[in-house]
Coordinates of all heavy atoms in Angstrom, one line a residue:
M528 N 12.3 17.7 -37.7 CA 10.9 17.5 -38.1 C 10.3 16.1 -37.8 O 9.2 15.9 -37.3 CB 10.7 17.8 -39.6 CG 10.9 19.2 -39.9 SD 10.5 19.6 -41.6 CE 10.9 21.3 -41.7
T529 N 11.2 15.1 -38.0 CA 10.8 13.7 -37.6 C 10.5 13.6 -36.1 O 9.6 12.9 -35.7 CB 11.8 12.7 -38.1 OG1 12.0 12.8 -39.5 CG2 11.4 11.3 -37.8
S530 N 11.4 14.1 -35.4 CA 11.3 14.1 -33.9 C 10.0 14.8 -33.5 O 9.2 14.2 -32.7 CB 12.5 14.8 -33.2 OG 12.3 14.9 -31.8
A531 N 9.7 15.9 -34.1 CA 8.5 16.7 -33.7 C 7.3 15.9 -34.1 O 6.3 15.8 -33.3 CB 8.5 18.1 -34.4
K532 N 7.3 15.3 -35.3 CA 6.1 14.6 -35.7 C 5.9 13.3 -34.9 O 4.7 13.0 -34.6 CB 6.3 14.2 -37.2 CG 5.0 13.6 -37.8 CD 5.1 13.6 -39.3 CE 3.8 13.1 -39.9 NZ 3.8 13.1 -41.4
N533 N 6.9 12.6 -34.6 CA 6.8 11.4 -33.8 C 6.2 11.7 -32.4 O 5.4 10.9 -31.8 CB 8.1 10.7 -33.6 CG 8.6 10.0 -34.9 OD1 7.8 9.8 -35.8 ND2 9.9 9.7 -34.9
Q534 N 6.6 12.9 -31.9 CA 6.1 13.2 -30.5 C 4.7 13.9 -30.5 O 4.0 13.8 -29.6 CB 7.1 14.2 -29.9 CG 8.4 13.6 -29.6 CD 9.3 14.5 -28.8 OE1 9.2 14.7 -27.6 NE2 10.2 15.2 -29.6
L535 N 4.4 14.5 -31.6 CA 3.2 15.4 -31.6 C 2.1 14.9 -32.6 O 1.0 15.5 -32.6 CB 3.5 16.8 -32.0 CG 4.5 17.5 -31.0 CD1 4.9 18.9 -31.5 CD2 4.0 17.5 -29.6
Q536 N 2.4 13.9 -33.4 CA 1.3 13.5 -34.4 C 1.3 11.9 -34.5 O 2.4 11.3 -34.7 CB 1.5 14.1 -35.7 CG 0.4 13.9 -36.7 CD 0.6 14.6 -38.0 OE1 1.3 14.1 -38.9 NE2 -0.1 15.7 -38.2
G537 N 0.2 11.3 -34.3 CA 0.0 9.9 -34.4 C -0.9 9.6 -35.6 O -1.2 10.4 -36.4
E538 N -1.3 8.3 -35.6 CA -2.1 7.9 -36.7 C -3.5 8.5 -36.7 O -4.1 8.8 -37.7 CB -2.3 6.3 -36.7 CG -1.0 5.6 -37.0 CD -0.6 5.8 -38.4 OE1 -1.5 5.9 -39.3 OE2 0.6 5.8 -38.7
T539 N -4.0 8.7 -35.5 CA -5.4 9.2 -35.3 C -5.5 10.6 -34.6 O -6.4 11.3 -34.8 CB -6.2 8.2 -34.5 OG1 -6.1 6.9 -35.1 CG2 -7.7 8.6 -34.5
Y540 N -4.5 10.8 -33.7 CA -4.5 12.0 -32.9 C -3.3 12.9 -33.0 O -2.2 12.4 -33.4 CB -4.7 11.6 -31.4 CG -6.0 10.9 -31.1 CD1 -6.1 9.5 -31.1 CD2 -7.1 11.7 -30.7 CE1 -7.3 8.9 -30.8 CE2 -8.3 11.1 -30.4 CZ -8.4 9.7 -30.4 OH -9.6 9.1 -30.1
S541 N -3.5 14.1 -32.6 CA -2.4 15.1 -32.5 C -2.2 15.5 -31.1 O -3.2 15.5 -30.3 CB -2.6 16.4 -33.4 OG -2.6 16.1 -34.7
R542 N -1.0 15.7 -30.7 CA -0.7 16.1 -29.3 C -0.1 17.5 -29.2 O 0.8 17.8 -30.0 CB 0.3 15.0 -28.7 CG 0.7 15.4 -27.2 CD 1.3 14.2 -26.5 NE 2.5 13.8 -27.1 CZ 3.3 12.8 -26.6 NH1 2.9 12.2 -25.5 NH2 4.4 12.4 -27.2
M543 N -0.6 18.3 -28.3 CA -0.1 19.6 -28.1 C 0.3 19.7 -26.6 O -0.3 19.2 -25.7 CB -1.2 20.6 -28.4 CG -1.7 20.6 -29.8 SD -3.1 21.7 -30.2 CE -4.4 20.7 -29.7
L544 N 1.4 20.4 -26.4 CA 2.0 20.6 -25.1 C 1.6 22.0 -24.5 O 1.8 23.0 -25.2 CB 3.5 20.4 -25.1 CG 4.0 19.1 -25.7 CD1 5.5 19.0 -25.6 CD2 3.4 17.9 -25.0
L545 N 1.1 22.0 -23.3 CA 0.7 23.3 -22.7 C 1.6 23.5 -21.4 O 1.7 22.6 -20.6 CB -0.7 23.2 -22.2 CG -1.8 22.7 -23.3 CD1 -3.1 22.7 -22.7 CD2 -1.7 23.5 -24.6
Y546 N 2.2 24.6 -21.3 CA 3.1 24.9 -20.2 C 2.4 26.0 -19.3 O 2.2 27.1 -19.8 CB 4.4 25.4 -20.6 CG 5.2 24.3 -21.4 CD1 5.0 24.1 -22.7 CD2 6.2 23.6 -20.7 CE1 5.8 23.1 -23.4 CE2 6.9 22.6 -21.3 CZ 6.7 22.3 -22.7 OH 7.4 21.3 -23.3
L547 N 1.9 25.6 -18.1 CA 1.1 26.4 -17.3 C 1.9 27.2 -16.3 O 3.0 26.8 -15.9 CB 0.1 25.6 -16.5 CG -0.8 24.6 -17.3 CD1 -1.8 24.0 -16.4 CD2 -1.5 25.3 -18.4
T548 N 1.4 28.4 -15.9 CA 2.0 29.2 -14.9 C 1.6 28.8 -13.5 O 2.1 29.3 -12.5 CB 1.7 30.7 -15.1 OG1 0.2 30.8 -15.1 CG2 2.2 31.2 -16.4
L549 N 0.6 27.8 -13.4 CA 0.1 27.4 -12.2 C 1.0 26.3 -11.6 O 1.6 25.5 -12.3 CB -1.3 26.8 -12.4 CG -2.4 27.8 -12.9 CD1 -3.7 27.1 -13.2 CD2 -2.7 28.9 -11.8
P550 N 0.9 26.1 -10.3 CA 1.7 25.0 -9.7 C 1.0 23.6 -10.0 O -0.1 23.6 -10.5 CB 1.5 25.2 -8.2 CG 0.3 26.0 -8.0 CD 0.2 26.9 -9.3
V551 N 1.7 22.5 -9.8 CA 1.2 21.2 -10.2 C 0.0 20.9 -9.3 O -1.0 20.4 -9.8 CB 2.3 20.2 -10.0 CG1 1.7 18.8 -10.2 CG2 3.4 20.4 -11.0
S552 N 0.1 21.2 -8.0 CA -1.0 20.8 -7.1 C -1.9 22.1 -6.8 O -1.4 23.2 -6.9 CB -0.4 20.3 -5.8 OG 0.4 19.2 -6.1
G553 N -3.1 21.8 -6.4 CA -4.0 22.9 -6.0 C -5.3 22.9 -6.7 O -5.4 22.5 -7.9
D554 N -6.3 23.3 -6.0 CA -7.7 23.3 -6.6 C -7.8 24.3 -7.8 O -8.5 24.0 -8.8 CB -8.7 23.8 -5.5 CG -8.9 22.7 -4.4 OD1 -8.6 21.6 -4.7 OD2 -9.3 23.1 -3.3
E555 N -7.0 25.4 -7.8 CA -7.0 26.3 -8.9 C -6.5 25.6 -10.2 O -7.1 25.8 -11.2 CB -6.2 27.6 -8.6 CG -6.2 28.6 -9.7 CD -5.3 29.8 -9.4 OE1 -4.7 29.8 -8.4 OE2 -5.3 30.7 -10.3
T556 N -5.5 24.8 -10.0 CA -4.9 24.1 -11.1 C -5.9 23.0 -11.6 O -6.1 22.9 -12.8 CB -3.6 23.5 -10.7 OG1 -2.7 24.4 -10.2 CG2 -2.9 22.8 -12.0
Y557 N -6.4 22.3 -10.7 CA -7.4 21.2 -11.0 C -8.6 21.8 -11.8 O -9.0 21.2 -12.8 CB -7.9 20.5 -9.8 CG -6.8 19.9 -8.9 CD1 -6.9 19.7 -7.6 CD2 -5.5 19.5 -9.5 CE1 -5.9 19.1 -6.8 CE2 -4.5 19.0 -8.7 CZ -4.7 18.8 -7.4 OH -3.7 18.3 -6.6
H558 N -9.1 22.9 -11.3 CA -10.3 23.5 -12.0 C -9.9 24.0 -13.4 O -10.7 24.0 -14.3 CB -10.8 24.7 -11.1 CG -11.4 24.2 -9.9 ND1 -11.5 25.0 -8.7 CD2 -11.9 23.0 -9.5 CE1 -12.1 24.3 -7.8 NE2 -12.3 23.1 -8.2
F559 N -8.6 24.5 -13.5 CA -8.3 25.0 -14.9 C -8.1 23.8 -15.9 O -8.3 24.0 -17.1 CB -7.0 25.8 -14.8 CG -6.6 26.5 -16.1 CD1 -7.4 27.5 -16.5 CD2 -5.5 26.1 -16.9 CE1 -7.1 28.2 -17.7 CE2 -5.2 26.7 -18.0 CZ -6.0 27.8 -18.5
T560 N -7.8 22.6 -15.4 CA -7.8 21.5 -16.3 C -9.2 21.2 -16.9 O -9.3 20.9 -18.1 CB -7.3 20.2 -15.6 OG1 -8.1 19.9 -14.5 CG2 -5.8 20.4 -15.1
D561 N -10.2 21.5 -16.1 CA -11.5 21.3 -16.6 C -11.8 22.4 -17.7 O -12.5 22.1 -18.7 CB -12.6 21.5 -15.5 CG -12.6 20.3 -14.5 OD1 -12.2 19.2 -15.0 OD2 -12.9 20.5 -13.3

Side-chain angles (χ1 to χ4, degrees):
M528 291 187 182
T529 301
S530 173
K532 189 168 185 176
N533 290 342
Q534 294 184 80
L535 301 176
Q536 190 176 78
E538 293 293 327
T539 310
Y540 292 94
S541 291
R542 177 163 63 175
M543 295 175 278
L544 305 181
L545 315 178
Y546 294 84
L547 308 186
T548 59
L549 298 171
V551 173
S552 304
D554 290 338
E555 183 182 2
T556 305
Y557 303 153
H558 294 157
F559 188 68
T560 62
D561 289 333

